[in-house]
Amino acid sequence: MSTDYNANHPTMKGTQAEGVSRRNLIRLTGAGAAAIGIASAAGLAGAGPAFAAPAASRNNLEPGDTSNGADNFYTSDQVTVKKISFKNKYEMKVVGNLFVPDNLNRGTTHPALVVGHPMGAVKEQSANLYATKMAEQGYVTLSFDLSFWGESAGKPGNSVLPDVYAEDFSAAVDYLRSQAFVDKERVGAIGICGSGSFVISAAKIDPRIKAIATVSMYDMGAANRDGLNKSVTLEQRKAMIAQAAAQRDVEFAGGAIQYTGGTPEVLTAESTAVDREFYDFYRTARGYHPNTTTHPALATNTKFMNFHPFNDLELIAPRPLLFITGDQAHSREFSEEAYRLATGPKELFWVPGAGHVDLYDRVGLIPFAKLTDFFRTQL
């Protein structure tokens, strides 16, 4: 359990504190920034360069910025990890890791948590860290690869299908509820980055998920339709859709699958601050994993255009929601919007000085104490 974060820092519930700096927020305007900068950062649709079969391995990795206790590959001698698999309702194999505290009394039942990785990532990136840290606090936890990503089933790999991503969360709940030492009525979930929107989508129609926390959430639907700070115009959106539709024709005729967005493979003088933020995690030893390129399939990425996870958010009430975001995060608008729309018990928790990717792995900034308190209170 990390105690680097000051547990006595006042929580700002639902209001933006006066004086909270936006000095590092990204303000993207114009077709180039909206379609390329955002796309390359978060795996979004865009008119930027497409990739044909991007390489999944890199040599001579840079170390990356490991300040504030960055420890993506953290393991614990207090927790036993077991590779598992289960099927979702579409008979697709989902591969995950089950984390069980070594001192757990298996003769009784305990609360459990599902943890989802960032969009374009795999369970080894951020999700395992969160699952390990929460297992140290006594929870049975489960991280997993979303369908079409990592070790989970789904062809072609890197395809976008947000309804199935949400289904994977419910399938993980199926698995946890089947374990004799898990309390079926005390299962919660954590969604990081894009998984924050997928777990919300799942929870709206799965009341078995009793408490939901999101961290550095991206609403993958709004991000694709509108971009950050609503910088994508209708014309740009239509151009993205047309590009994906044209690629469908290419692939139907036997052409190569193309990929788009994700983290840039190289940085240039034109790389945005968001590009650099993601690059420092995914393309360096800090967070790199060979099971993902982060690039979604171009022809399917427009599925996000029809993804509206915040619609009917009142379906989750009265189950509690906790939205955690850095006060410097370029993605903070999504947590703010979800908080605004939620009707049940809710809290918007700011992490001072943290950006979006900081909360993937910087143990000195991630508020594990807040997450622990939330689930101990609400599960």
Side-chain angles (χ1 to χ4, degrees):
M1 170 65 195
S2 169
T3 57
D4 292 344
Y5 180 82
N6 183 0
N8 294 319
H9 182 87
T11 301
M12 293 169 274
K13 298 184 179 180
T15 59
Q16 181 177 313
E18 288 187 27
V20 170
S21 170
R22 286 180 176 260
R23 64 184 179 275
N24 291 329
L25 294 185
I26 309 304
R27 299 184 182 280
L28 299 175
T29 59
I36 298 175
I38 301 173
S40 63
L44 313 183
F51 301 89
S57 63
R58 296 169 68 89
N59 296 318
N60 304 317
L61 292 170
E62 304 166 54
D65 177 5
T66 56
S67 63
N68 285 304
D71 199 0
N72 180 68
F73 300 105
Y74 175 78
T75 59
S76 174
D77 59 7
Q78 304 171 45
V79 176
T80 297
V81 186
K82 177 184 177 182
K83 178 70 70 67
I84 61 166
S85 66
F86 48 91
K87 289 189 175 181
N88 64 26
K89 277 298 178 186
Y90 300 98
E91 293 295 310
M92 300 171 69
K93 181 181 179 181
V94 178
V95 177
N97 291 322
L98 184 69
F99 299 79
V100 181
D102 289 342
N103 62 0
L104 190 84
N105 177 2
R106 294 184 180 235
T108 186
T109 59
H110 306 271
L113 301 171
V114 179
V115 183
H117 59 72
M119 177 60 201
V122 288
K123 61 186 177 299
E124 291 82 5
Q125 293 166 315
S126 195
N128 278 357
L129 168 63
Y130 275 72
T132 302
K133 287 291 188 178
M134 297 308 291
E136 287 182 336
Q137 299 307 307
Y139 295 92
V140 177
T141 60
L142 190 163
S143 67
F144 66 96
D145 288 330
L146 292 169
S147 293
F148 305 101
W149 295 89
E151 297 178 279
S152 289
K155 298 295 182 183
N158 296 31
S159 291
V160 171
L161 197 52
D163 284 349
V164 171
Y165 298 164
E167 162 59 26
D168 292 338
F169 273 92
S170 288
V173 173
D174 296 341
Y175 180 90
L176 284 173
R177 285 169 59 94
S178 74
Q179 304 304 300
F181 49 86
V182 168
D183 185 335
K184 291 180 173 58
E185 301 307 315
R186 299 175 69 196
V187 177
I190 300 172
I192 304 161
C193 184
S195 277
S197 59
F198 308 146
V199 72
I200 284 176
S201 180
K204 287 192 300 183
I205 56 173
D206 192 342
R208 302 173 306 164
I209 304 174
K210 300 299 184 182
I212 303 97
T214 69
V215 181
S216 289
M217 177 171 57
Y218 252 93
D219 173 350
M220 295 305 300
N224 276 271
R225 288 186 298 273
D226 304 320
L228 297 177
N229 300 314
K230 295 188 168 48
S231 57
V232 173
T233 68
L234 178 61
E235 290 71 24
Q236 289 165 355
R237 189 187 311 170
K238 287 181 177 180
M240 296 175 194
I241 292 169
Q243 182 187 26
Q247 182 59 29
R248 291 181 69 106
D249 288 335
V250 170
E251 293 176 16
F252 188 82
I257 295 171
Q258 296 290 311
Y259 302 87
T260 189
T263 300
E265 296 292 333
V266 296
L267 295 177
T268 69
E270 289 72 41
S271 296
T272 67
V274 179
D275 287 335
R276 296 175 187 279
E277 183 180 3
F278 282 91
Y279 183 96
D280 191 75
F281 181 79
Y282 287 110
R283 303 295 183 229
T284 73
R286 174 185 161 197
Y288 170 78
H289 197 277
N291 281 2
T292 183
T293 65
T294 77
H295 303 301
L298 172 61
T300 60
N301 203 56
T302 48
K303 298 296 184 184
F304 279 136
M305 297 285 185
N306 283 338
F307 181 51
H308 296 268
F310 297 169
N311 284 3
D312 304 316
L313 203 54
E314 62 271 15
L315 287 168
I316 293 178
R319 289 169 290 154
L321 285 159
L322 170 64
F323 306 106
I324 296 174
T325 185
D327 66 8
Q328 304 302 308
H330 67 262
S331 59
R332 57 182 282 171
E333 63 186 275
F334 303 120
S335 295
E336 292 172 329
E337 179 67 359
Y339 178 85
R340 184 183 71 82
L341 293 171
T343 60
K346 58 183 178 179
E347 182 175 352
L348 179 59
F349 187 87
W350 303 100
V351 180
H356 176 86
V357 178
D358 288 334
L359 299 185
Y360 284 10
D361 67 333
R362 298 196 191 282
V363 176
L365 291 174
I366 299 170
F368 287 114
K370 179 62 186 177
L371 284 166
T372 300
D373 178 68
F374 172 73
F375 285 114
R376 282 184 177 161
T377 302
Q378 304 295 349
L379 278 185

